[in-house]
Amino acid sequence: GEVRKTQSERIKFDPVPDDFLSALEERSSLLLQAQNSYGETVRSVDPHWAAMAGYRVSEMYRTYHRDLVAIPAPSMAKTEREKQVFFAFMHVRYRTLLEKGIKQINQTISLGERIGEDSVWMKRAKATRDDMERALEDEKATLAKMPFTEAEVRAAIDAMLKKPATGDEKSPAKKGH
């Protein structure tokens, strides 16, 4: 798990890689591989190692989220509003990573409380949970101050994800007509 975590976190997004989507896919794949390895440890009978593994998985999600939302606005975003749109898009789109990290850390803390685990990993887990929850609240508060709603941002993201990359996909020639 540690090897895959380290490999994953070596993939940086600032500066934005030339092939951003490939880098995103590779980092996601490595994160999932690390999570699977850590998952084996979580299912072990040793509460110390289970707490450590749960903490590490949530930490990976937190770091991945932080790295993605730190991507600077593209140079074509000239106005403050365009920069706000980019900020909102990135934070709404990738918030799920932070939420997954919070869910994982809460499961780890819950496990520790059920079995009476009070190791340094549990203390780290609680501090990290508090940090991630503050980050989520701060992110929502910042988005709430923007000149558009989060629902509008989500709708725009959904529309972009459904829209073909170019108009050529809808042309009769591409359909075999």
Side-chain angles (χ1 to χ4, degrees), residues 25-41:
E25 186 176 324
E26 183 178 358
R27 183 150 177 193
S28 295
S29 176
L30 288 166
L31 183 143
L32 292 174
Q33 290 172 33
Q35 182 177 346
N36 286 338
S37 294
Y38 284 126
E40 294 295 320
T41 305

Side-chain angles (χ1 to χ4, degrees), residues 6 19 28 32 34 46 51 67-68 75 79 84 87-88 100 107 123 125 132 153 157-158 163 170:
T6 301
D19 193 353
S28 295
L32 292 174
D46 187 323
D67 290 353
L68 285 169
S75 58
T79 68
Q84 287 176 327
F87 176 93
K100 284 181 94 164
Q107 289 174 341
K123 290 173 180 55
M132 291 188 326
V153 174
I157 291 170
D158 290 344
K163 183 178 177 183
K170 292 186 177 181

Side-chain angles (χ1 to χ4, degrees), residues 53-63 101 104-105 128 132:
Y55 168 81
R56 288 302 223 200
V57 170
S58 64
E59 181 183 50
M60 281 190 310
Y61 278 106
R62 176 182 66 166
T63 302
Q104 178 66 46
I105 205 93
T128 297
M132 291 188 326

Side-chain angles (χ1 to χ4, degrees), residues 38 48 94 140:
Y38 284 126
H48 173 80
Y94 295 113
K140 288 179 179 181

Side-chain angles (χ1 to χ4, degrees), residues 5 7 13 18 24 31 43 46 48 50 57 61 67 83 90 109 118 134 137 140 155:
K5 174 186 178 295
Q7 290 173 332
F13 300 108
D18 291 336
L24 185 70
L31 183 143
R43 291 185 284 281
D46 187 323
H48 173 80
V57 170
Y61 278 106
D67 290 353
K83 291 174 184 174
M90 295 300 285
I109 292 167
D118 193 32
R134 269 191 307 279
E137 288 174 22
K140 288 179 179 181

Side-chain angles (χ1 to χ4, degrees), residues 4-173:
R4 296 291 186 241
K5 174 186 178 295
T6 301
Q7 290 173 332
S8 169
E9 291 175 354
R10 283 188 186 139
I11 299 169
K12 301 294 183 191
F13 300 108
D14 189 8
V16 178
D18 291 336
D19 193 353
F20 173 76
L21 293 179
S22 290
L24 185 70
E25 186 176 324
E26 183 178 358
R27 183 150 177 193
S28 295
S29 176
L30 288 166
L31 183 143
L32 292 174
Q33 290 172 33
Q35 182 177 346
N36 286 338
S37 294
Y38 284 126
E40 294 295 320
T41 305
V42 170
R43 291 185 284 281
S44 74
V45 294
D46 187 323
H48 173 80
W49 287 102
M52 184 275 304
Y55 168 81
R56 288 302 223 200
V57 170
S58 64
E59 181 183 50
M60 281 190 310
Y61 278 106
R62 176 182 66 166
T63 302
Y64 196 17
H65 171 265
R66 185 188 64 226
D67 290 353
L68 285 169
V69 300
I71 293 173
S75 58
M76 69 179 99
K78 303 267 188 243
T79 68
E80 186 59 30
R81 181 171 173 82
E82 289 169 341
K83 291 174 184 174
Q84 287 176 327
V85 167
F86 182 80
F87 176 93
F89 174 85
M90 295 300 285
H91 283 268
V92 170
R93 177 81 172 116
Y94 295 113
R95 179 183 298 153
T96 187
L97 296 168
L98 189 56
E99 292 169 340
K100 284 181 94 164
I102 291 170
K103 181 179 178 186
Q104 178 66 46
I105 205 93
N106 282 334
Q107 289 174 341
T108 300
I109 292 167
S110 179
L111 170 68
E113 289 171 348
R114 281 194 313 272
I115 62 174
E117 174 67 13
D118 193 32
S119 68
V120 67
W121 291 106
M122 292 304 296
K123 290 173 180 55
R124 287 180 183 171
K126 289 175 183 175
T128 297
R129 177 201 52 202
D130 294 346
D131 180 52
M132 291 188 326
E133 287 177 346
R134 269 191 307 279
L136 185 58
E137 288 174 22
D138 290 348
E139 186 173 285
K140 288 179 179 181
T142 300
L143 289 169
K145 295 175 187 172
M146 302 242 168
F148 36 81
T149 68
E150 189 171 320
E152 291 169 326
V153 174
R154 286 192 185 281
I157 291 170
D158 290 344
M160 286 176 20
L161 292 174
K162 291 177 186 171
K163 183 178 177 183
T166 67
D168 293 339
E169 289 85 358
K170 292 186 177 181
S171 73

